[in-house]
Every structure is written in structure tokens, then in C-alpha cells.
Amino acid sequence: MMEDFVKCLVSALMLCTAWAKQPNVVILFADDLGYGDLACYGHPTSLTPNLDRMSEEGLLFTQFYTASPLCSPSRAALMTSRYSPRSGVYPGVFAPNDVGGLPLNETTMAESLKSVGYSTAIVGKWHLGVGKDGMYLPTHQGFDYYMGIPYSHDMCMCDVCFYPDLKCSDPQNECNHGYVPCPVFENEKIIQQPAVKINLTEMYIDAATNFIKEKSEQSSPFFLYMAFQHTHKPQFSGKLATNSCIRGEFGDALAELDWGVGQILEELEKDGVSDNTFVFFTSDNGLAQASDFQSYMLLDCLGPP
């Protein structure tokens, strides 16, 4: 299970402090991505060269379980290594107007690693609550730095999804117009609202690579949790990825995610820390709904609902 993996990883890293240089940890976390959507698992038309490289140079897992089929419970399990009912993040997901969040008395992966000298950052989707005065944001859960939308980007009004000014495909069914426009937080301050989707991934990657560069220069062990909004509905992509893939909109979103992975791998190499860094890629809970026929042999599709 995912939570057992996290528990073993954190325990091993804490033991490393006794005798060796502490390795860095990067978790690359996709949203609603099915394993069959990747070329390394057999998809014939997905454009994912950087993820293909990871699979060729590292370990490719063929059996893996997540604690929940929904975003918030799954992420709570990842962060705490506990089944989500134990933390109370169950059975549903946090909405923008919810007052709750991941309980502050839960020990997160970030808090465990901070206790042994790690610098910690999350970039991207949090989805474990905001709360009054931001009390449940990542900066109160063990992270030194945070940038991102604190929940799913379909919990906002739809606007432009594809470069340069193409609207989202099905705004009435893919987005919730009852909430305010998506905010982008930096730590506890809103720096952009509404979030500009066609520039969002570039903004995220800039923040992630700057964190890697800064901590590498300081020779500080670091934990980066890179939680992509991709490939959750509605799909979106910027200039580099739009119309880049024969899989259509979903393929473009996946290609942009893969580009982001490549930028992070390149930064690790450029800063000379790639050989001392564990890099993991996984998804929160797989594709959102099997009946959508998102994965494996389809060429063109809209992605998960």
C-alpha cells in the first residue's frame, strides 16, 4: 500500500542521518492518471519521453495500491502513512468552502523529514484543506514552502484552458461555477486569482526548480512534493504542449506533465545532486472513471470526468 511505502521510506531516510549523506527526495504526483495512459506501460500514442526515461533508468512497478479512489483521502494517506479513516479525511474530498482539513495533530511526511534536517516544499495541488486563516495549508503541516492551488482546479469557474485563448471543452460539466475563481497561493498569500491555466505548469516548475537549485547550493537535504494538477479535468496546456499530441486534449495535458518531469530531472542533474536523490513518480488514485475509456488504446479522448 502507498502508506506502507511512505512509512518505510521516511524510516530509512531518518536512519540515514546516522552514517551517510542524507539523500534528497522528490515525489512527482500526477492527478487522475491511469497507468495505461503511459507509453512505458504500453500506450501506443502517449508522448511521455521523460517518464519513459525514468522507467528505463529506474524501477518500473507493475503492482501498486492506493488508499482511496479520491483525491483528499489518497493524499492524506500519502502524507501520514495512515489509512484515511484514521486521520478523518474520509470518505470524500475537501471543497473550497469547507472549514476542515488534515488534522494538525497528524504527523506528516514533511514534519518527519524536517525533524532530521530536511528542507521541505510542496508545489501544486494540496487538497487537504485550507481552513480559517489558512490554518490547514501546507505551511502548517511541515512544509517550509508552498505554491499552488489548494484543491482541484475543477472546483472553480472555467476560463481559458488551452493556449492561446481556447476555452475549456465542457465548462458546464467539467467545472463548478458556484465557487470563486481558483487562487494560487504562495505560502499563505494569494498571488494570483484566477489561476491562469495556460501558464500554471510553467509557474509550478519555476518554483520547483528554484527550490532544488537553492537547496543544492546550500548543500541542504531536501524533500520536494511536486503535485501536478494534470491530468485532472478539465484538461489544460500551455504554448509548448497545445496541439502536440494525437491523443487530443488529454494527450496535450499529459505531454505538459511529462515536460515538467523533464525540467525537474534536468535541474537535479544540472545542480549535481541527481545521484543523491530518490525520484518517485506515481498518481493519486488512477483514472477517475473506467467508463470514460481514458486509457490504453484510444487515440483521442477528453480524459477523466
Side-chain angles (χ1 to χ4, degrees):
M1 298 293 289
M2 182 184 294
E3 56 271 20
D4 296 324
F5 155 74
V6 173
K7 185 183 298 183
C8 291
L9 173 63
V10 173
S11 298
L13 293 174
M14 294 178 76
L15 288 173
C16 282
T17 62
W19 69 81
K21 184 178 180 181
Q22 293 163 284
N24 308 307
V25 181
V26 176
I27 295 180
L28 306 171
F29 212 55
D31 193 359
D32 286 0
L33 179 69
Y35 80 92
D37 287 310
L38 300 179
C40 57
Y41 287 104
H43 199 286
T45 61
S46 288
L47 185 64
T48 53
N50 296 296
L51 290 171
D52 295 347
R53 173 191 161 195
M54 283 188 67
S55 71
E56 291 167 1
E57 296 179 356
L59 294 175
L60 181 67
F61 294 94
T62 57
Q63 184 170 343
F64 196 70
Y65 294 91
T66 185
S68 172
L70 294 173
C71 297
S72 295
S74 171
R75 291 159 198 265
L78 175 71
M79 284 291 100
T80 65
S81 76
R82 282 156 54 85
Y83 287 114
S84 51
R86 293 182 179 274
S87 67
V89 184
Y90 180 86
V93 301
F94 291 111
N97 61 348
D98 283 341
V99 297
L102 179 67
L104 299 179
N105 62 352
E106 290 288 335
T107 301
T108 68
M109 187 180 186
E111 289 169 324
S112 295
L113 292 175
K114 270 181 67 72
S115 72
V116 291
Y118 278 74
S119 298
T120 58
I122 169 178
V123 178
K125 177 179 172 178
W126 171 237
H127 216 171
L128 289 174
V130 177
K132 183 179 179 181
D133 298 323
M135 65 180 293
Y136 295 113
L137 287 172
T139 47
H140 296 285
Q141 305 274 14
F143 287 96
D144 299 316
Y145 178 78
Y146 168 52
M147 175 188 278
I149 298 174
Y151 35 79
S152 297
H153 58 278
D154 68 329
M155 293 180 168
C156 314
M157 294 178 280
C158 276
D159 43 25
V160 173
C161 277
F162 297 95
Y163 180 87
D165 55 5
L166 298 178
K167 301 295 184 181
C168 304
S169 294
D170 189 6
Q172 295 306 314
N173 294 318
E174 289 189 336
C175 299
N176 192 319
H177 294 263
Y179 297 124
V180 299
C182 280
V184 178
F185 278 80
E186 186 168 37
N187 297 321
E188 297 170 39
K189 180 182 178 182
I190 294 175
I191 60 171
Q192 187 182 84
Q193 191 176 24
V196 180
K197 294 184 181 68
I198 60 173
N199 297 326
L200 186 62
T201 302
E202 289 187 45
M203 180 187 293
Y204 281 178
I205 296 304
D206 284 346
T209 53
N210 286 339
F211 175 77
I212 292 171
K213 181 179 181 180
E214 177 184 331
K215 299 309 169 185
S216 299
E217 290 175 347
Q218 296 171 356
S219 298
S220 170
F222 60 82
F223 166 47
L224 170 64
Y225 173 34
M226 177 67 238
F228 291 94
Q229 304 285 146
H230 292 313
T231 51
H232 197 288
K233 67 157 189 176
Q235 273 74 55
F236 64 90
S237 61
K239 184 176 182 179
L240 291 174
T242 298
N243 295 324
S244 68
C245 179
I246 62 174
R247 286 197 69 189
E249 294 175 354
F250 180 85
D252 290 349
L254 179 57
E256 186 165 270
L257 182 155
D258 183 79
W259 169 83
V261 169
Q263 294 298 298
I264 289 173
L265 297 178
E266 181 179 314
E267 187 65 37
L268 292 170
E269 293 170 355
K270 184 166 61 177
D271 295 334
V273 296
S274 59
D275 289 341
N276 192 47
T277 303
F278 289 109
V279 182
F280 301 91
F281 177 85
T282 187
S283 179
D284 59 348
N285 44 242
L287 74 161
Q289 190 175 47
S291 62
D292 196 59
F293 297 111
Q294 170 189 341
S295 59
Y296 205 57
M297 288 297 186
L298 293 188
L299 298 181
D300 187 0
C301 49
L302 296 177

